[in-house]
Amino acid sequence: MSETTVAVPGLAVGTPSPVIAVRPVVLPAPGRGEDLRVRVSAPATGNELPVIVFSHGFGESMDGYAPLVDFWTAHGFAVIQPTHLDSRTLNLPPDDPRTSLIWRLRVEDLTRVLDGLDFVEAAAPGLAGRLDRSRIAVAGHSWGAQTASMLLGARVLGPEGEPGEDLSDPRITAGVLLAVPGTGGADLTPFAAEHFPFMNPGFAEMTTPALVVAGDHDQSLLSVRGPDWFTDAYVQSPHGKSLLTVFGAEHSLGGISGYNVTETTDENPERVALIQRLTWAYLRTALGVDGSAWPAARAALAAAGDPLGRIESR
């Protein structure tokens, strides 16, 4: 039985295409302390490629998340992955003055990628003129999902619950938030509340369409709540969102951060295949590439005899 059939019976994704990948593309970043390094991956052929800007989780880098990036690019997307300052590849010391601001610098990294698309295109051989600037999505996992959510309209709330600065970007028209942290305050452990004050998101202004992906066995060490904490971005944001709950999945969602990575506690290729295909279908519809892709994916999952997850929308 093929992986496609196991993951979402009846959902056709087409034949994968050859992919090109270039790293590092170095974007000038005055005031950041060092320039921004990114990885650019895209199909070797084709034009008007929709773009995904991907924000990695804590400690990861532009080289992570190959199971998702490989699938997305082989099926028609260009993916740009910046390396944030918290990456283990940079070894930023805890007492670095930038440490407390990394959450904000992460958002600026994504914005810098958007501002530098001309530079990125020119630096990747064969990519110039092939990106569709009208179809750009943002995606991220864990801390990267919180980073991505800021470009969709989420805010960091102040001490009295007041919304912080609006960092949303009109160039982003859809998002995918994988294991995105939930609300702060009393929902955090004392350690998280003391050390991560930026973990206090408000989703009331997150108006851009998005797919939230959560594992129903994802128990965070930073929250006193259960796995439902990772659904707050769906429950508390305005309408126009979808939620994919992946059955049995923990924080790595079956292993999306890399092939055979040691931090995966719930390795399951079928869960990864499910997320590959459903995020691909969602973005194709949300970005206006194929209006039938997401409805077909939802129908295929609902018709599965033993589904790996469920989808709801509001």
Side-chain angles (χ1 to χ4, degrees):
M1 184 178 290
S2 71
E3 185 183 38
T4 301
T5 302
V6 170
V8 192
L11 176 61
V13 298
T15 303
S17 301
V19 169
I20 58 172
V22 180
R23 63 170 298 280
V25 174
V26 182
L27 292 170
R32 186 176 182 267
E34 59 183 279
D35 290 336
L36 177 63
R37 295 173 176 263
V38 305
R39 179 187 181 101
V40 184
S41 308
T45 60
N47 295 309
E48 298 182 345
L49 301 174
V51 178
I52 302 171
V53 181
F54 189 89
S55 179
H56 63 72
F58 176 76
E60 300 287 347
S61 74
M62 62 182 171
D63 295 318
Y65 299 92
L68 293 182
V69 175
D70 290 352
F71 185 88
W72 289 337
T73 53
H75 293 87
F77 286 90
V79 182
I80 306 173
Q81 299 171 264
T83 293
H84 299 302
L85 289 174
D86 59 277
S87 174
R88 288 186 292 269
T89 64
L90 299 179
N91 292 317
L92 200 71
D95 59 353
D96 188 285
R98 293 168 292 177
T99 298
S100 63
L101 298 174
I102 284 181
W103 73 269
R104 175 63 180 266
L105 293 170
R106 279 174 146 264
V107 179
E108 293 178 3
D109 288 346
L110 301 187
T111 302
R112 197 180 305 276
V113 167
L114 297 174
D115 293 341
L117 283 179
D118 288 343
F119 185 94
V120 169
E121 277 194 331
L127 190 60
R130 297 175 56 212
L131 300 183
D132 187 343
R133 309 301 180 86
S134 69
R135 292 187 168 109
I136 305 177
V138 67
H141 174 242
S142 193
W143 194 7
Q146 178 173 337
T147 304
S149 75
M150 304 292 287
L151 272 70
L152 302 174
R155 311 279 189 92
V156 172
L157 302 180
E160 304 301 323
E162 70 279 8
E165 183 181 355
D166 180 7
L167 300 174
S168 62
D169 195 301
R171 294 170 290 189
I172 299 294
T173 54
V176 172
L177 305 178
L178 301 145
V180 58
T183 53
D187 290 342
L188 296 180
T189 63
F191 175 86
E194 178 182 354
H195 292 89
F196 309 120
F198 59 85
M199 290 188 67
N200 192 24
F203 300 109
E205 273 74 38
M206 197 177 80
T207 57
T208 305
L211 171 64
V212 176
V213 181
D216 68 359
H217 281 52
D218 188 357
Q219 179 59 61
S220 176
L221 297 177
L222 301 177
S223 175
V224 298
R225 286 172 51 195
D228 69 302
W229 188 58
F230 292 98
T231 69
D232 285 352
Y234 170 74
V235 174
Q236 299 181 14
S237 63
H239 290 278
K241 308 297 187 299
S242 291
L243 172 67
L244 168 61
T245 301
V246 184
F247 300 152
E250 299 176 9
H251 200 59
S252 294
L253 298 172
I256 64 169
S257 60
Y259 300 113
N260 301 314
V261 295
T262 57
E263 61 261 37
T264 298
T265 57
D266 62 335
E267 184 175 2
N268 187 304
E270 293 184 9
R271 291 189 191 116
V272 175
L274 176 81
I275 293 168
Q276 288 171 335
R277 286 148 178 81
L278 292 181
T279 54
W280 169 84
Y282 175 82
L283 288 175
R284 280 178 62 81
T285 293
L287 293 177
V289 177
D290 179 0
S292 67
W294 182 236
R298 296 191 61 171
L301 184 64
D306 186 18
L308 297 171
R310 71 171 178 272
I311 296 170
E312 53 195 285
S313 297
R314 54 189 297 272

